[in-house]
Amino acid sequence: MYKQFYQGMALTELPLFALVLFVAIFLGVCAWVFVGRRSQDFDALAHLPLAERGEGGHE
């Protein structure tokens, strides 16, 4: 089935390139989210549900 699908394609490397591009972007976003200097933001947000009313900055 795949052989018939790719038989008429001129750019057979395109699906592999798209996969590599997707994985690179996905890993880049994951690294950006979990980088150490953003941990202060996550700590502040993690304590919001436990904060007393008016303590979190928003009422």
Side-chain angles (χ1 to χ4, degrees):
M1 181 169 98
Y2 292 112
K3 187 176 182 180
Q4 293 171 347
F5 177 75
Y6 289 121
Q7 188 174 7
M9 281 186 71
L11 299 173
T12 56
E13 296 86 14
L14 189 60
L16 182 61
F17 174 73
L19 175 67
V20 170
L21 181 65
F22 171 77
V23 170
I25 291 173
F26 178 77
L27 291 176
V29 169
C30 286
W32 177 71
V33 167
F34 293 113
V35 72
R37 65 175 186 243
R38 292 181 50 97
S39 65
Q40 296 166 353
D41 297 336
F42 289 130
D43 289 339
L45 292 174
H47 292 291
L48 279 178
L50 303 175
E52 293 294 325
R53 194 154 186 85
E55 188 179 326
H58 299 333
E59 292 186 36

